[in-house]
Amino acid sequence: MINSQDEKLIALLRSNARASISDLARSLDLSRSTVQSRLQKLEQSGVIKGYSVEFGQEYLSELVEAHVSIKVKQKLTTKTNIALKHMSNISALYAISGEYDMIAVVEAQSLQQLSVILDDIGNLEGVERTNSSVILETKFKR
């Protein structure tokens, strides 16, 4: 279970995962050793799984992003999921209810690259059909 100090620590890391232990300690008014200990406990307990890169707006504004609905042959779902996981341009894959089985979030450097990726997805063993929606503009993201 996490306490209020852990919540504050997590909030600081969300805004800057590269913050030093010293900076975190100062912000939380705690000792360096206390912050280091809390981080280790959060990592060991699985609350913090890892640290990631957050891209800048300039880079993101150049990306072409699409949501790809994917219908999969049921007996090949696991194999298809593994193949999709290995495609580096897929940033997220969600299981969904309805006509399609999954939605993949695809990021590409150009429309040409997106077209190739969509063909690659459609040609995977187990994929029955896809339906793609290119993201034109992000109104907001939380």
Side-chain angles (χ1 to χ4, degrees):
M1 188 77 170
I2 63 174
N3 61 32
S4 63
Q5 287 295 331
D6 292 337
E7 289 176 4
K8 291 175 186 173
L9 176 57
I10 290 168
L12 289 170
L13 290 170
R14 278 188 175 155
S15 67
N16 181 8
R18 293 189 68 194
S20 69
I21 300 295
S22 297
D23 289 342
L24 294 168
R26 263 190 300 280
S27 296
L28 295 169
D29 197 28
L30 296 171
S31 71
R32 283 178 34 88
S33 60
T34 299
V35 171
Q36 183 65 48
S37 173
R38 292 307 314 155
L39 272 177
Q40 286 176 341
K41 287 179 184 174
L42 290 169
E43 290 169 356
Q44 290 169 351
S45 68
V47 172
I48 294 178
K49 181 179 171 184
Y51 302 87
S52 63
V53 173
E54 184 176 337
F55 296 111
Q57 191 55 43
E58 188 172 319
Y59 174 78
L60 290 174
S61 67
E62 297 295 318
L63 287 180
V64 178
E65 189 174 46
H67 291 178
V68 183
S69 301
I70 305 168
K71 177 73 175 161
V72 179
K73 293 177 185 168
Q74 290 309 112
K75 291 184 179 186
L76 296 173
T77 299
T78 301
K79 186 174 186 173
T80 304
N81 286 345
I82 292 168
L84 290 166
K85 186 175 185 176
H86 286 94
M87 297 179 74
S88 62
N89 290 88
I90 297 178
S91 61
L93 182 65
Y94 302 99
I96 59 170
S97 62
E99 180 181 351
Y100 290 89
D101 302 303
M102 295 180 274
I103 291 181
V105 179
V106 177
E107 297 172 342
Q109 297 293 320
S110 66
L111 287 173
Q112 289 174 324
Q113 184 186 29
L114 178 62
S115 180
V116 170
I117 296 164
L118 295 177
D119 287 344
D120 290 346
I121 292 171
N123 290 326
L124 288 174
E125 185 179 0
V127 173
E128 290 182 7
R129 68 179 179 278
T130 64
N131 184 24
S132 305
S133 299
V134 175
I135 306 298
L136 300 175
E137 178 185 6
T138 300
K139 299 294 186 179
F140 70 87
K141 190 172 184 176
R142 295 182 191 186

